[in-house]
């Protein structure tokens, strides 16, 4: 289990590195380079628009890769999704700017971002299911949390490379070629991920299935549509909080508050380190106390913390900003640390790869795709403290709290797994 969990964590970290490095670039440089005819705010909104396309593509990737995951196995999905995401990320680093090829530049950016999202949409379901379906029932939460650490590691890798470049290059060098380096690094990481995943065994639970769904997505829509919508609504707050902290606040701090990008990246990264470190502990608690209670607790904490977070951000003081980000990400991890076990347990095995991944990634459309755009627009019409952003995030948290309240508990009783809820 340790070897399998480590391989899943590494692969997920690489895929999320690819996805996050685009978000950081969108916040820092893509607006002026690819939308130079726009005003600074409009350019940032346009860059966040291409960022959001990746989230729109993720549910489509879940349907595409989930079909093969439920029909052919979890393991092939991991290889195919990693190849697609890695190749499209490297290609982003090679796209000429608007000044070189005109309107073709943002169009290419849009297409490649879509392919990134398509690959990542298949990654989560395959990695989490392969781990969850190998894990013993009484420790499924713990072992399934390892792929959930991957996003934190990927974010730290992406922003660590950006931070190093930002600290060592001039602004002109960073805008000219420095921002492309993290995208090229993705190629090396993808090769390492493929090597790690080449020897993984197929999920034993998948091998036991003798009645594979003919068209898994059709079956999910027909028999589990309510469950998909509830999970998507429930998870939207996690995406909204995470990308408000890691993407929107980065742009807001550098553009509106005048805080250096190195300081902003350092504050965000420090909060993410704490969040990632606590993921296994929170997941272990879910094995003892249940998945749903922790999700409800995290959602309530998010609703209570969004106004303090934006107030602390508006100070521009590094320590206070860090505390604001940390509180938000602690609420986030209380929910998302348990999802590696919770979502697979909600769906029956024959459509689990499709159902769990579609619900997970639809939540990304609701929370992740819209939040940087909406928050940027709201902050533009606010004073120094963007209370409108706090109100928006609080509203998303309350909506998700209602969805979590309608979902059932799935934690296995004793050492025997409970029957999965089928919606």
């Amino acid at each position: 289990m340790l070897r399998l969990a480590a391989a899943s964590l590494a692969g997920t970290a690489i895929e999320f590195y690819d996805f996050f490095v685009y978000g950081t670039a969108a916040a820092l440089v893509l607006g002026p380079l690819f939308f130079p005819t726009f005003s600074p705010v409009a350019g940032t909104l346009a860059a966040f628009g291409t960022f959001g396309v990746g989230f729109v593509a993720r549910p489509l990737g879940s349907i595409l890769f989930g079909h093969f995951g439920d029909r052919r196995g979890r393991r092939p999905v991991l290889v195919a999704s990693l190849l697609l995401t890695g190749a499209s990320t490297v290609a982003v680093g090679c796209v000429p700017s608007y000044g070189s090829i005109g309107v073709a530049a943002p169009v290419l950016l849009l297409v490649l971002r879509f392919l990134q999202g398509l690959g990542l949409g298949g990654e989560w379901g395959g990695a989490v299911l392969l781990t969850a379906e190998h894990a013993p029932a009484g420790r499924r939460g713990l072992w399934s949390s390892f792929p959930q650490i991957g996003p934190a590691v990927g974010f730290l890798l992406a922003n660590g490379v950006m931070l190093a470049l930002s600290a060592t290059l001039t602004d002109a060098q960073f805008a000219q070629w420095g921002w492309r380096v993290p995208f090229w690094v993705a190629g090396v990481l993808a090769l390492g991920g493929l090597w790690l995943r080449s020897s993984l065994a197929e999920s034993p639970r998948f091998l036991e299935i003798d009645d594979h769904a003919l068209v898994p997505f059709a079956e999910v829509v027909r028999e589990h549509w309510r469950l998909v919508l509830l999970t998507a609504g429930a998870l939207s707050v996690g995406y909204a909080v995470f990308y408000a902290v890691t993407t929107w606040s980065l742009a807001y701090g550098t553009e509106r508050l005048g805080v250096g990008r190195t300081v902003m990246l350092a504050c965000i990264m420090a909060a993410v380190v704490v969040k990632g470190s606590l993921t296994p502990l929170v997941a272990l608690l879910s094995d003892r106390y249940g998945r749903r209670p922790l999700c409800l607790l995290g959602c309530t904490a998010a609703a209570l913390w969004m106004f303090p977070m934006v107030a602390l951000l508006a100070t521009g003081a590094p320590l206070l900003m860090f505390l604001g980000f940390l509180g938000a990400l602690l609420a986030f991890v209380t929910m998302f640390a348990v999802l590696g076990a919770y979502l697979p347990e909600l769906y029956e095995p024959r459509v689990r790869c499709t159902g769990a991944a579609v619900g997970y990634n639809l939540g990304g459309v609701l929370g992740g795709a819209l939040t940087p755009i909406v928050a940027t627009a709201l902050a533009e019409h606010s004073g120094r403290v963007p209370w409108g952003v706090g109100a928006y995030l609080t509203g998303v948290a309350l909506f998700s709290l209602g969805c979590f309240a309608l979902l059932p508990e799935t934690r296995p009783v004793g050492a025997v797994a409970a029957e999965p809820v089928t919606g």
Side-chain angles (χ1 to χ4, degrees), residues 321-366:
M321 291 192 296
F322 163 73
L323 291 175
F325 299 152
L326 179 61
L329 292 184
L330 289 179
F332 166 87
V333 78
T334 306
M335 295 175 278
F336 270 54
V338 310
L339 294 183
Y342 194 21
L343 290 192
E345 289 170 347
L346 287 169
Y347 292 87
E348 59 181 304
R350 57 186 268 122
V351 295
R352 185 173 282 164
C353 194
T354 301
V358 169
Y360 183 84
N361 287 299
L362 274 178
V365 176
L366 296 174

Side-chain angles (χ1 to χ4, degrees), residues 1-2 4-5 128 130-147 279-291 337-338 340-342 345 410-418:
M1 279 307 307
L2 185 60
L4 175 67
V128 166
L130 199 63
T131 308
E133 292 180 342
H134 272 92
R139 284 291 179 262
R140 189 176 296 136
L142 173 63
W143 289 113
S144 300
S145 72
F146 279 77
T279 299
L281 175 61
V282 176
L284 190 61
L285 292 175
S286 80
D287 282 327
R288 183 179 180 114
Y289 300 107
R291 327 294 190 206
V338 310
Y342 194 21
E345 289 170 347
T410 63
R411 178 175 61 96
V413 178
V416 180

Side-chain angles (χ1 to χ4, degrees), residues 29 164-179 261:
V29 296
L165 291 167
S166 178
T168 55
L169 299 177
T170 66
D171 288 346
Q173 289 172 328
F174 185 80
Q176 185 176 11
W177 59 268
W179 69 272
R261 61 172 176 255

Side-chain angles (χ1 to χ4, degrees), residues 292-335:
R292 183 171 172 269
L294 287 173
C295 291
L296 292 172
L297 175 63
C299 213
T300 302
L304 295 173
W305 188 249
M306 293 302 96
F307 282 109
M309 185 195 77
V310 297
L312 291 169
L313 169 63
T315 66
L319 179 59
L320 296 179
M321 291 192 296
F322 163 73
L323 291 175
F325 299 152
L326 179 61
L329 292 184
L330 289 179
F332 166 87
V333 78
T334 306
M335 295 175 278

Side-chain angles (χ1 to χ4, degrees), residues 14 90 183-193:
I14 292 164
V90 172
F183 291 91
W184 298 334
V185 170
V188 178
L189 294 177
L191 292 176

Side-chain angles (χ1 to χ4, degrees), residues 22 30 34-35 45-57 88 91-92 95-96 103-118 373:
Y22 189 100
L30 295 188
F34 289 88
F35 305 96
L45 284 169
F48 282 153
T50 62
F51 173 75
V53 166
F55 285 97
V56 175
S88 55
V92 169
V95 176
V103 73
V107 170
L108 284 172
L109 206 62
L110 201 68
V111 171
L112 293 170
R113 180 60 174 173
F114 181 87
L115 293 176
Q116 263 192 331
L118 205 66
I373 299 171

Side-chain angles (χ1 to χ4, degrees), residues 158-402:
N159 286 274
V161 175
M162 282 286 191
L163 184 61
L165 291 167
S166 178
T168 55
L169 299 177
T170 66
D171 288 346
Q173 289 172 328
F174 185 80
Q176 185 176 11
W177 59 268
W179 69 272
R180 299 180 183 273
V181 173
F183 291 91
W184 298 334
V185 170
V188 178
L189 294 177
L191 292 176
L194 290 172
W195 176 77
L196 282 171
R197 290 181 165 180
S198 61
S199 60
L200 294 181
E202 183 52 81
S203 157
R205 190 66 189 91
F206 173 80
L207 296 175
E208 293 171 1
I209 301 171
D210 54 12
D211 59 338
H212 297 284
L214 184 62
V215 184
F217 180 65
E219 187 169 320
V220 167
V221 171
R222 184 174 62 250
E223 299 184 15
H224 308 286
W225 61 271
R226 181 176 178 273
L227 186 57
V228 170
L229 293 179
L230 282 176
T231 52
L235 302 187
S236 61
V237 63
Y239 284 101
V241 168
F242 188 83
Y243 287 101
V245 170
T246 62
T247 301
W248 167 74
S249 67
L250 181 59
Y252 182 80
T254 54
E255 294 174 7
R256 286 288 299 274
L257 303 179
V259 180
R261 61 172 176 255
T262 302
V263 173
M264 288 300 303
L265 284 170
C267 291
I268 295 168
M269 288 173 65
V272 171
V273 167
V274 179
K275 187 269 291 187
S277 302
L278 292 177
T279 299
L281 175 61
V282 176
L284 190 61
L285 292 175
S286 80
D287 282 327
R288 183 179 180 114
Y289 300 107
R291 327 294 190 206
R292 183 171 172 269
L294 287 173
C295 291
L296 292 172
L297 175 63
C299 213
T300 302
L304 295 173
W305 188 249
M306 293 302 96
F307 282 109
M309 185 195 77
V310 297
L312 291 169
L313 169 63
T315 66
L319 179 59
L320 296 179
M321 291 192 296
F322 163 73
L323 291 175
F325 299 152
L326 179 61
L329 292 184
L330 289 179
F332 166 87
V333 78
T334 306
M335 295 175 278
F336 270 54
V338 310
L339 294 183
Y342 194 21
L343 290 192
E345 289 170 347
L346 287 169
Y347 292 87
E348 59 181 304
R350 57 186 268 122
V351 295
R352 185 173 282 164
C353 194
T354 301
V358 169
Y360 183 84
N361 287 299
L362 274 178
V365 176
L366 296 174
L370 295 177
T371 293
I373 299 171
V374 173
T376 299
L378 290 173
E380 175 66 11
H381 302 289
S382 302
R384 182 175 178 85
V385 181
W387 297 119
V389 177
Y392 166 74
L393 293 172
T394 302
V396 174
L398 293 174
F399 169 71
S400 294
L401 184 63

